[in-house]
Amino acid sequence: MEEERNMERGMTADQLLAALWRRKALVGAIAAVVFVVGAAIVMTRPSMYEASVVVRVEPQRPGEEMVQRTVSEIIEQRLLTVRQELLARPVLQKAIEEMNLYPEIVSEKGMEAAVAQMRKDLTVRVEGETAFELTYANRDPQVAAQVANRLPTIFSEETLKIRQAQAARATELFNEEMVALGRAVSNWETKISQFKVDHLGELPEQMEMNMRGLERVSHQLQTKSEELRVAEARRSDLARARNAVDSEAGRLEAAENGLTRALVNARTTWTDDHPEVKRLQAELEGMTARRKEAEGRLWAERAERTRVATLIGNIQQEIQDLQKQAEAYQARLNNTPRWAHELAVMNRDYEIARTKYQSVVSRKVEAEIAQELEAKSAKSLFNVISPAGVPATPARPDRMTGMLIVFLLALGLGVLTGAVLEMRDDSLRDGMEVRQRLTLPVLAVVPEMQGKTERRILMPASGARNSVSNPTSLN
């Protein structure tokens, strides 16, 4: 409880100064020790040199105007993540291996620890919209400048590798898509060709030909029907004339037979020179000639009937063939709408596939050109506008500021120590503290006597018996 009251007791500035003066040796010793230790720490810290390089990102607008790029990311947009990319392991590890940085850390803790240390030594700051500043700190100013100048090149190489890999992947994707679509187009062409072969004559483009063929066959049917009518009429006429011709030939043949018998009888009676025999001979010859003529006409009529019958048969066969042709043409015309719909669907799908194929072929060509542009524009993406020079003075630590901070810290610790000791000290040093802390009446205050020359001054009480006057000081 007594300690808590001592801690809660306030101190004025005069009391604090008096307390520090009473403990000046201790305060000075503590301040001196802290200052010496802090100064040693500040002075023994290694000097770090910083080298800075400013890199500008060159826009690639002319290339985009010539051909559509397959790397969609604009190179200026990389500034938004340039710090993360510069501090990424591939860039830092390549720099560490190439320039043999942090050999002790690499041998003792591994590459990951070296990369972590290099991240601490690197500072990346974006300048404006198209530039960034890279600062590297190292104990060796030559190494600091070399690393600062080399890191933008490594970052540029890694960035270009990524962009070229993206362009190559895009080209490969377009190539694979082109091959797949090419097979699809070939399959559709084969399918459509086979469909046309299977439905030859019934296709939409052959509809006009079928209509003309049907019209031609119809006209031929009409012609053949007329020819058949004429042939039928001719056969009817021949049928009616047949009886008459047959009767005439039979009559002439019968007459000829009668004359032959009469001639035979006459020759049995008379000689060949007899007039009767000559007459019968002449009549028989005339009758024979007429019979032969009648038989000739009979055979001609028979031949004509045969010809007409054959003609009628041929015409009827031709009419049947024409009817079959007409039916075939009509069937083709009837099936044309059905096949037209299926062919239209197939042609539509084929056109879609062919359009996609042509588009992919065009994009593949552009992707190949874009890949070539990425390779050709590699050296112009990043431009070092302010290379790093070898620093002449260390950037840190700031020894003057450090010494000032150490001095203030030592002084503060000394003052704090004196104040704490004073607040924990329960000694009574003046009459005011006596009257505040004691409940008994104070008759007098005897000051501390420290020298032979000091004079003692008694402090008599005045007023009431229990009251005490203010103490006097010694001079």
Side-chain angles (χ1 to χ4, degrees):
M1 296 298 293
E2 185 67 24
E3 290 183 359
E4 292 181 0
R5 288 196 296 267
N6 291 335
M7 293 300 292
E8 293 176 356
R9 185 179 61 180
M11 296 179 64
T12 64
D14 294 336
Q15 290 174 340
L16 178 61
L17 291 176
L20 294 177
W21 180 253
R22 282 194 300 273
R23 295 175 173 81
K24 55 183 176 292
L26 178 61
V27 171
I30 293 174
V33 171
V34 173
F35 179 77
V36 170
V37 173
I41 294 174
V42 171
M43 296 305 294
T44 55
R45 287 189 61 191
S47 299
M48 298 296 292
Y49 295 86
E50 291 184 351
S52 299
V53 59
V54 179
V55 181
R56 184 174 184 272
V57 179
E58 299 294 340
Q60 299 297 309
R61 297 294 183 268
E64 294 179 358
E65 294 175 358
M66 290 185 291
V67 63
Q68 184 177 1
R69 292 185 175 270
T70 53
V71 182
S72 59
E73 181 186 21
I74 302 176
I75 189 63
E76 296 92 316
Q77 292 179 349
R78 300 189 71 87
L79 289 177
L80 301 176
T81 58
V82 66
R83 185 177 183 277
Q84 289 75 10
E85 294 182 4
L86 273 171
L87 298 181
R89 176 163 182 162
V91 177
L92 300 186
Q93 182 174 346
K94 184 175 181 180
I96 292 172
E97 294 174 349
E98 181 179 315
M99 307 184 73
N100 193 25
L101 303 175
Y102 311 105
E104 299 86 0
I105 299 178
V106 172
S107 61
E108 295 178 2
K109 300 180 180 180
M111 181 59 67
E112 190 64 34
V115 171
Q117 180 60 42
M118 191 169 185
R119 288 195 182 104
K120 297 178 182 179
D121 296 336
L122 270 177
T123 303
V124 181
R125 184 172 62 253
V126 177
E127 298 288 345
E129 297 181 354
T130 59
F132 63 90
E133 182 184 27
L134 185 147
T135 302
Y136 178 68
N138 194 277
R139 296 180 183 180
D140 189 343
Q142 296 287 343
V143 174
Q146 292 175 2
V147 173
N149 288 322
R150 178 56 181 159
L151 277 177
T153 304
I154 296 176
F155 173 66
S156 174
E157 293 173 355
E158 294 297 324
T159 300
L160 293 175
K161 287 181 181 178
I162 295 174
R163 292 179 65 87
Q164 291 176 3
Q166 291 176 351
R169 284 196 301 270
T171 303
E172 184 63 24
L173 288 175
F174 282 126
N175 187 46
E176 294 176 358
E177 189 67 18
M178 185 188 69
V179 172
L181 288 176
R183 287 196 296 265
V185 170
S186 299
N187 292 336
W188 277 115
E189 290 176 348
T190 302
K191 188 175 181 180
I192 291 174
S193 299
Q194 186 61 41
F195 182 86
K196 289 183 177 180
V197 171
D198 295 339
H199 303 284
L200 184 64
E202 298 177 353
L203 301 175
E205 58 267 23
Q206 297 172 332
M207 184 175 182
E208 184 176 359
M209 181 190 68
N210 291 331
M211 293 180 66
R212 291 181 178 177
L214 180 60
E215 182 179 357
R216 175 177 55 80
V217 169
S218 298
H219 179 70
Q220 290 179 354
L221 278 173
Q222 292 179 357
T223 303
K224 291 300 178 180
S225 297
E226 182 65 24
E227 291 179 358
L228 180 60
R229 186 187 65 79
V230 173
E232 290 286 351
R234 175 62 176 166
R235 186 172 63 178
S236 298
D237 294 340
L238 290 175
R240 287 194 297 269
R242 175 181 179 180
N243 295 329
V245 173
D246 290 344
S247 298
E248 181 182 4
R251 181 177 58 80
L252 291 175
E253 185 178 2
E256 183 182 9
N257 292 332
L259 288 175
T260 300
R261 287 192 298 271
L263 180 60
V264 170
N265 293 329
R267 283 180 177 176
T268 59
T269 304
W270 297 293
T271 62
D272 292 337
D273 294 334
H274 192 275
E276 185 64 21
V277 173
K278 290 182 179 180
R279 181 183 65 79
L280 291 174
Q281 183 67 36
E283 288 182 359
L284 179 60
E285 292 177 355
M287 187 61 67
T288 300
R290 289 197 296 273
R291 179 185 61 80
K292 290 181 178 182
E293 290 179 0
E295 288 180 351
R297 288 194 299 272
L298 178 62
W299 285 109
E301 289 180 358
R302 288 179 179 177
E304 181 67 15
R305 286 197 302 271
T306 302
R307 186 188 68 80
V308 170
T310 303
L311 178 62
I312 291 175
N314 293 335
I315 293 174
Q316 288 177 344
Q317 184 63 42
E318 290 178 358
I319 290 176
Q320 290 178 359
D321 293 339
L322 290 174
Q323 287 176 347
K324 290 180 179 179
Q325 293 181 15
E327 292 175 356
Y329 281 120
Q330 188 62 46
R332 292 177 182 178
L333 292 174
N334 294 335
N335 291 330
T336 296
R338 173 186 173 186
W339 307 136
H341 175 71
E342 294 187 12
L343 185 61
V345 173
M346 296 173 65
N347 284 329
R348 180 196 63 192
D349 296 338
Y350 167 71
E351 288 297 328
I352 293 174
R354 191 168 66 89
T355 302
K356 289 182 179 179
Y357 175 76
Q358 292 175 350
S359 175
V360 170
V361 170
S362 177
R363 293 296 303 276
K364 178 179 178 292
V365 173
E366 291 187 358
E368 292 175 348
I369 297 176
Q371 186 176 358
E372 295 177 0
L373 289 178
E374 288 291 340
K376 292 180 180 179
S377 63
K379 298 181 180 180
S380 63
L381 290 179
F382 298 94
N383 182 23
V384 177
I385 59 178
S386 178
V390 179
T393 58
R396 62 178 187 272
D398 188 351
R399 302 190 189 278
M400 293 299 297
T401 303
M403 294 297 290
L404 179 59
I405 293 174
V406 169
F407 174 75
L408 294 177
L409 180 61
L411 183 60
L413 287 175
V415 171
L416 180 61
T417 303
V420 171
L421 292 176
E422 177 65 20
M423 295 180 68
R424 293 178 62 85
D425 189 0
D426 58 354
S427 301
L428 299 176
R429 295 183 179 84
D430 54 31
M432 182 66 68
E433 291 185 1
V434 172
R435 286 192 295 270
Q436 290 177 354
R437 299 177 62 184
L438 295 181
T439 59
L440 299 175
V442 180
L443 299 178
V445 176
V446 179
E448 182 181 3
M449 306 301 291
Q450 295 181 352
K452 296 181 179 181
T453 59
E454 293 180 345
R455 293 175 301 170
R456 184 180 65 181
I457 300 177
L458 298 177
M459 302 178 64
S462 62
R465 183 177 180 179
N466 295 331
S467 64
V468 180
S469 62
N470 291 331
T472 59
S473 61
L474 296 177
N475 295 326

